[in-house]
Amino acid sequence: MSPGQPHITRRHFLRNLAGGAAVVAVGGATWRAIDQGVFSTGDGPAYAAWGEWDDRSGGFLALVRPAVLAANAHNTQPWLFELGTDRIDLFADTTRSMGAMDPLRREMYVSVGCALENLMLAAQAEGLRPAVTLLPDPSDETHVAQVGLGTGGREESPLYHAIPNRHTDRGAYDTSRPVERATLDRLASLNDVVDLRVAWITDEAGKRRFGEYTIEATVAIANDPEMAADSYAWMRQDWDQIQREKDGLTVDASGLSDIVRALGKLLPAQSQKKIDSSWVGATRTRTVATASAFGIVAARDRGDDRQRLEAGRLWQRLHLAATDAGLSMQPLAQTVERADRELSANLEPVFTNALAELTPEWQAVLPFRVGYPTGEPALSPRRPAEEVTRS
Ligand SMILES: Cc1cc2nc3c(=O)[nH]c(=O)nc-3n(C[C@H](O)[C@H](O)[C@H](O)COP(=O)(O)O)c2cc1C
């Protein structure tokens, strides 16, 4: 377990059970609780990567350890690192696809871009001077970047130190503490790519519109059998499976309170319908309702792989800077996932048009929310550097 990670102790759990509706026979429940990792949140091989992030052993493998902690869609971790003597080549792993949830592979490229940003920060902290070439091989669209690693000055930025503390926060945000405009502007100033921008939505009417579109897109995904099934394929409800696969979306990282999470882990696996209906409910009552502001990382062309990779780098930088400033963030990609689905399946462009209205002249790549936290977000599983690296 990493420092600061909320941890349910057996005593805390049993006290809560006793105080609530203690309908489960304690012996059996305790056994199942142990089996399902109720007392082990953030522990085990699936979470070890968080504790090894600054292990400097193993040559360039030391740069991959922080890279694998990057944000990535549905925690699919669609990346592969090839270590050379003077460079690292980064590949997208298309076998870890989200299917109809990401039919145009936008989120795959954004995710690998996030990992690239962590890799760059780690290289600088290691005293190397990284030189990136995006999409270096026109004949291989999965070869997303080549990072040359010459020697340079050591630079340990606050963003680098935020790498193990950055987590997607799906909990409620503090509605009594708005994020100041100057803070948002400072975050947006981290963008140094002309083809990208960060748009903030802070006025009540704009926030209402963004919220409605996000809720409607969530419902549309839940009602689209192919999208719903491809999303459900990445849900991890079994503790053994989490420890084995070290990926996917878990109950622990869902933003629920300790006791509800514990009960969620105790219950038999939830059906796709049940998870989707909880997701729609949480989007309405927690996600959208408690955001201080919404933001959109937008590009000139969201179909362009280079801009998608740069958008991923920017998202990772924004989230690290927000973490450093004590803020929470959560991507809310449903509207863009739906717009990509409309394009690929030739559907009516409902969310394509809604997004064009939110960021005229620009194309939304990754919408998100920001606010001050009310709790501590949980760790997500990760495949360690060794499992995603080849020489
Ligand atoms: C392109 C992209 C899209 C994402 N979309 C969502 C989303 O719609 N909702 C959400 O809760 N998290 C979303 N996330 C966050 C990931 O689920 C999260 O990064 C992943 O599960 C790993 O967890 P961590 O960020 O806490 O390390 C997205 C992340 C990326 C990079």
Side-chain angles (χ1 to χ4, degrees), residues 167-190:
H167 306 293
T168 299
D169 189 349
R170 301 186 177 89
Y173 295 172
D174 187 347
T175 50
S176 68
R177 195 175 168 203
V179 183
E180 290 188 1
R181 184 73 211 194
T183 307
L184 298 178
D185 289 342
R186 192 167 52 76
L187 288 173
S189 73
L190 293 169

Side-chain angles (χ1 to χ4, degrees), residues 224-245:
D224 180 325
E226 232 181 297
M227 289 185 90
D230 288 348
S231 179
Y232 188 70
W234 289 96
M235 298 296 157
R236 301 283 178 261
Q237 302 185 67
D238 177 78
W239 190 245
D240 285 343
Q241 188 193 15
I242 292 169
Q243 295 298 346
R244 205 174 49 246
E245 314 271 357

Side-chain angles (χ1 to χ4, degrees), residues 191 193-200 296-299 314 359-360 362:
N191 175 31
V193 177
V194 290
D195 287 330
L196 299 181
R197 76 173 287 229
V198 181
W200 293 114
I296 300 179
V297 173
L314 176 57
T359 49
W362 292 85

